[in-house]
Amino acid sequence: MEHRLMAYASQLLSGLIFGLGLALAGMTSPQKVLAFLDVTGDWDPSLLLVLGAAVAVSAATFHWILKAERPLFEQRFHISKARKPDAPLAVGSIIFGIGWGISGYCPGPAIALLTTPANPETLIFLGGLGLGVLLDLLCTVTGKNTDACSS
Amino acid sequence: MALADFIFPLLPPLAGGALIGTAAAILLYCNGRIAGISGIVRGLLPPRGADSWSRLVFLCGLIAGAGLYQAWSGQSPLPREHFPPLLLALAGVLVGTGTALAKGCTSGHGVCGLARFSLRSLISVALFLGTAMVTTYVVRHLWNIA
């Protein structure tokens, strides 16, 4: 019982810090993200710093965390066992890249859009995102995708 | 004062990034899960990942965290005007489908995958980053949109 509550508490804390970090880093602004992706324009390297700092922290900590037998509040680690790059990975990454390069939104900042429901982009982009995820769902249940979501 | 002018703008991205990395560490340490937003969202729908409530709690935390920062700092991103709605919706579909196929995004493959030296993530990041840059070039400089 106690672990269950703590497991929710840590999810909440992690989400809070994630959202805080996104906003502080300026990544909730699609214009700022596009300024990074726009390499031939007035280039803003910020996203590189965000990713760099994030990976520095995660790389340093993950190494130690994964030495444990299990996480603090759950029975086991839930990490995808997939190792080999495959076609869905490549194709999916390219498709995602196109969508990101058009809009300046990736999933995190898209969810953060819900802080500004009055922004017309919130409904439009998240509507599209939902549709896109539904498309993947349909492919999964009709057997076109053979692997289920692992996380 | 030239040095300060150079350093100060770098602090928010660095600090924000460090917080994102910290959030990922907390989720892995406490819950044994990867802080990949696309995966968390995707797992709300069939075939359902574990515990929808946990996912919702995390996402609510994300929204609250971003909202809190905006409230405290008084800064809110300036909404874009006149971005073509159909193009924006299409972009959403592409992000939704692409991240589901790739089983990850900038947080899942970028922050977490690279930290684990995952080959899958390295390839994914290279592909989506490169594609995004080419796409932005085309949309902004060839088609002159936004």
Side-chain angles (χ1 to χ4, degrees), chain A residues 122-149:
Chain A
T122 303
L123 189 62
I124 295 169
F125 188 83
L126 284 173
L129 188 81
L131 194 61
V133 176
L134 270 169
L135 278 172
D136 181 74
L137 187 171
L138 284 172
C139 288
T140 306
V141 300
T142 59
K144 288 201 157 44
N145 281 0
T146 48
D147 30 69
C149 179

Side-chain angles (χ1 to χ4, degrees), chain A residues 58-145:
Chain A
S58 59
T61 53
F62 277 28
H63 175 71
W64 297 108
I65 293 169
L66 290 171
K67 283 179 188 278
E69 267 179 41
R70 46 163 287 194
L72 207 52
F73 303 133
E74 298 206 24
Q75 302 283 55
R76 60 178 185 85
F77 286 101
H78 300 89
I79 301 180
S80 167
K81 297 279 192 297
R83 286 282 166 273
K84 275 171 47 183
D86 54 21
L89 179 80
V91 172
S93 302
I94 289 169
I95 292 173
F96 164 44
I98 296 172
W100 191 32
I102 291 172
S103 64
Y105 293 118
C106 62
I111 298 294
L113 270 175
L114 289 167
T115 59
T116 55
N119 182 349
E121 296 204 354
T122 303
L123 189 62
I124 295 169
F125 188 83
L126 284 173
L129 188 81
L131 194 61
V133 176
L134 270 169
L135 278 172
D136 181 74
L137 187 171
L138 284 172
C139 288
T140 306
V141 300
T142 59
K144 288 201 157 44
N145 281 0

Side-chain angles (χ1 to χ4, degrees), chain B residues 33-102:
Chain B
R33 294 176 189 279
I34 294 294
I37 309 303
S38 70
I40 292 171
V41 170
R42 179 67 187 80
L44 287 171
L45 297 177
R48 246 177 255 283
D51 203 352
S52 298
W53 288 114
S54 291
R55 293 163 190 274
L56 285 172
V57 165
F58 179 92
L59 294 175
C60 285
L62 196 164
I63 296 164
L68 276 168
Y69 178 80
Q70 279 157 200
W72 283 335
S73 67
Q75 289 168 29
S76 211
L78 206 64
R80 258 187 307 215
E81 297 199 344
H82 314 305
F83 194 99
L86 275 177
L87 188 60
L88 188 62
L90 175 67
V93 175
L94 295 173
V95 171
T97 298
T99 54
L101 267 174

